Amino acid sequence: MLACRICDGRVEEFCDFGRQPLSDAFLGPDGRDDEYFFRLAVGVCSSCAMVQLVEEVPRTRMFHEDYPYRSSGSTRMRRHFERTAEELLAGELSQGDPFIVEIGCNDGIMLKTISRAGVRHLGVEPSGGVAQLARADGVRVTTEFFQESSALTIRKTDGAADVVYAANTVCHIPYMDSIFRGVDALLGPDGVFVFEDPYLGDVIDRTSFDQIYDEHFYLFSVTSVDAMARRFGFELVNAERLPVHGGEVRYTLARKGRRPVAREVHELLAEEERRGLATLEVLRGFAERARGIRERLVALLRELRAAGKTVAGYGATAKSATVLNYCGIGPDLLPYISDTTPTKQGRLTPGSHIPVRTPDSFADPYPDYALLFAWNHSEEIMAKEQRFRQEGGKWILYVPDVRIV
Ligand code: TMP
């Protein structure tokens, strides 16, 4: 029996994407690096409703000096985190001499605004390369994994925190017991633990199966986070839906009984119950739709190749690893992917070995079709790539289904 990583309940597997590489492990141009593979399958706990991977990848294989992803790669996300920081500064961090800790601060996209406001802060970031970028932006960072021991050290040196914040990080961490003990040690009596991650409800609605990859160990819902908070002595006091990264929820947790529970929490819990969000029937339906998308996407790419059309990928996202490896798409169907991230360019995509090129090469010459892997940034990308459309180029999307626009 597979045991839930949160509550030890029985986990039922509902979806299997097969053998997959690490989504951010880009290879050198000769493709000769050793690659680590694992079985990417997903299950749901029949007791606490937490959706989780059935195999865990050791954390140091994913997050290390050369971790390539930079949170600041999108204008919209820079704005989103600037606004988040401003809201925190005007609210939780507005009294006395406040202190905020961010788990997984990446390149400092959020904390740099906090730092410029002169507010005490600390980023805890295990990936050395991106941590260095944050430091260069004036952010105070410690290069390590957040866990109970690091939280105890921070508490000793910096005192209690008013806010522990994390964006697109908590769902990456299987060992939530140590995280909550750390948050418990670090937060003052009225402090809050705020985190935002992809929302199961949106993943099901959009069939965005590419949100499932090695780093996304959990796929949170309000129901599963509410149960997790209670299990570790906290209470879910607010839940706010966010339109970024294909649909997320920002959860606010407080110590039990310290804050009123917002209406939104009750509403979202009721909605998830009504739609049977964590039921095997709904989840198996999602897996079935993902199989359909795979068939239609591969058929389309084969058709375009047979018709002599050129196709390029746009955005070598972590999400694209699931799509490419699940669908068996390699350089024969997709000769290259363009991406703005310097540490991905000149390398090959994990598992599928498709060359990653600079955005300049996308226009030199434009392909007939561009397969948009960074669909969560589609507004921003389509606005800046208008010339591609004007010159006859077409976008291929696969979320919520395969279509050409
Ligand atoms: P994300 O969806 O996980 O944020 O990853 C987005 C990827 O797409 C990242 O590798 C950067 C890349 N990207 C582009 O190549 N061009 C763009 O305009 C944007 C916004 C992202």
Side-chain angles (χ1 to χ4, degrees), residues 69 73-74 245 315 317 319 339-341 344 376-377 381 384:
Y69 181 69
S74 131
H245 282 318
T317 57
K319 295 185 285 297
D339 194 285
T340 49
T341 316
K344 295 182 182 178
N376 45 313
H377 304 295
I381 289 170
K384 84 173 163 197

Side-chain angles (χ1 to χ4, degrees), residues 99 101 120-124 140-161 164 178-179 181-187:
F99 177 47
V101 172
R120 286 193 304 131
H121 64 276
L122 181 67
V124 185
R140 186 173 160 242
V141 189
T142 167
T143 307
E144 61 188 312
F145 286 95
F146 184 91
Q147 55 197 8
E148 186 180 14
S149 55
S150 40
L152 286 166
T153 308
I154 299 167
R155 171 81 201 218
K156 259 193 220 127
T157 50
D158 293 85
V164 174
S178 174
I179 295 297
R181 284 199 304 272
V183 170
D184 184 29
L186 195 49
L187 273 187

Side-chain angles (χ1 to χ4, degrees), residues 24 26 67-78 168 211 213 215-216 245-246 313-320 337-342 344-345 356-359 372-378 380-382 384-385:
D24 269 311
F26 290 79
Y67 181 66
Y69 181 69
R70 294 179 177 188
S71 301
S72 294
S74 131
T75 313
R76 180 167 179 226
M77 292 313 295
R78 287 198 294 274
N168 308 303
Q211 291 281 19
Y213 52 89
E215 295 169 17
H216 286 177
H245 282 318
Y314 200 103
T317 57
K319 295 185 285 297
S320 73
I337 302 180
S338 86
D339 194 285
T340 49
T341 316
K344 295 182 182 178
Q345 292 160 0
V356 181
R357 296 195 191 153
T358 61
L372 184 57
F373 292 114
W375 53 266
N376 45 313
H377 304 295
S378 65
E380 177 176 340
I381 289 170
M382 289 191 189
K384 84 173 163 197
E385 296 291 0

Side-chain angles (χ1 to χ4, degrees), residues 152-394:
L152 286 166
T153 308
I154 299 167
R155 171 81 201 218
K156 259 193 220 127
T157 50
D158 293 85
D162 299 277
V163 178
V164 174
Y165 174 80
N168 308 303
T169 301
V170 173
C171 79
H172 292 56
I173 309 175
Y175 44 92
M176 292 307 296
D177 44 350
S178 174
I179 295 297
F180 272 93
R181 284 199 304 272
V183 170
D184 184 29
L186 195 49
L187 273 187
D190 285 315
V192 282
F193 180 24
V194 181
F195 55 92
E196 56 196 71
D197 286 287
Y199 177 47
L200 177 66
D202 287 307
V203 170
I204 300 298
D205 286 343
R206 298 173 190 214
T207 318
S208 45
F209 65 95
D210 56 349
Q211 291 281 19
I212 296 165
Y213 52 89
D214 56 345
E215 295 169 17
H216 286 177
F217 186 82
Y218 295 115
L219 203 39
F220 292 146
S221 63
V222 179
T223 306
S224 63
V225 169
D226 181 58
M228 175 168 78
R230 270 186 280 121
R231 181 170 186 85
F232 294 114
F234 284 79
E235 195 170 22
L236 178 64
V237 295
N238 205 353
E240 180 192 354
R241 291 188 76 164
L242 302 174
V244 296
H245 282 318
E248 301 205 322
V249 170
R250 177 179 292 162
Y251 304 95
T252 302
L253 277 55
R255 293 187 190 279
K256 206 169 164 5
R258 303 299 290 205
R259 305 232 178 171
V261 177
R263 183 172 42 88
E264 286 78 1
V265 173
H266 300 295
E267 284 173 1
L268 284 164
L269 285 172
E271 186 187 319
E272 290 182 1
E273 170 78 22
R274 181 188 51 72
R275 63 183 288 197
L277 186 60
T279 58
L280 277 173
E281 191 192 349
V282 165
L283 296 170
R284 285 186 179 135
F286 157 82
E288 184 60 40
R289 292 197 302 281
R291 283 191 283 274
I293 290 176
R294 169 171 65 174
E295 274 169 34
R296 288 185 288 280
L297 182 59
V298 172
L300 173 64
L301 293 178
R302 288 196 177 133
E303 229 173 77
L304 293 174
R305 184 180 56 184
K309 302 291 184 194
T310 54
V311 187
Y314 200 103
T317 57
K319 295 185 285 297
S320 73
T322 298
V323 180
L324 294 168
N325 290 282
Y326 175 54
C327 298
I329 298 169
D332 53 328
L333 283 177
L334 197 66
Y336 76 93
I337 302 180
S338 86
D339 194 285
T340 49
T341 316
T343 44
K344 295 182 182 178
Q345 292 160 0
R347 303 178 75 87
L348 303 176
T349 57
S352 50
H353 299 188
I354 297 173
V356 181
R357 296 195 191 153
T358 61
D360 287 355
S361 50
F362 179 64
D364 186 27
Y366 283 124
D368 298 314
Y369 292 83
L371 176 51
L372 184 57
F373 292 114
W375 53 266
N376 45 313
H377 304 295
S378 65
E379 268 179 40
E380 177 176 340
I381 289 170
M382 289 191 189
K384 84 173 163 197
E385 296 291 0
Q386 287 180 27
R387 238 189 75 214
F388 167 60
R389 290 296 298 270
Q390 284 156 8
E391 300 200 3
K394 292 195 164 64

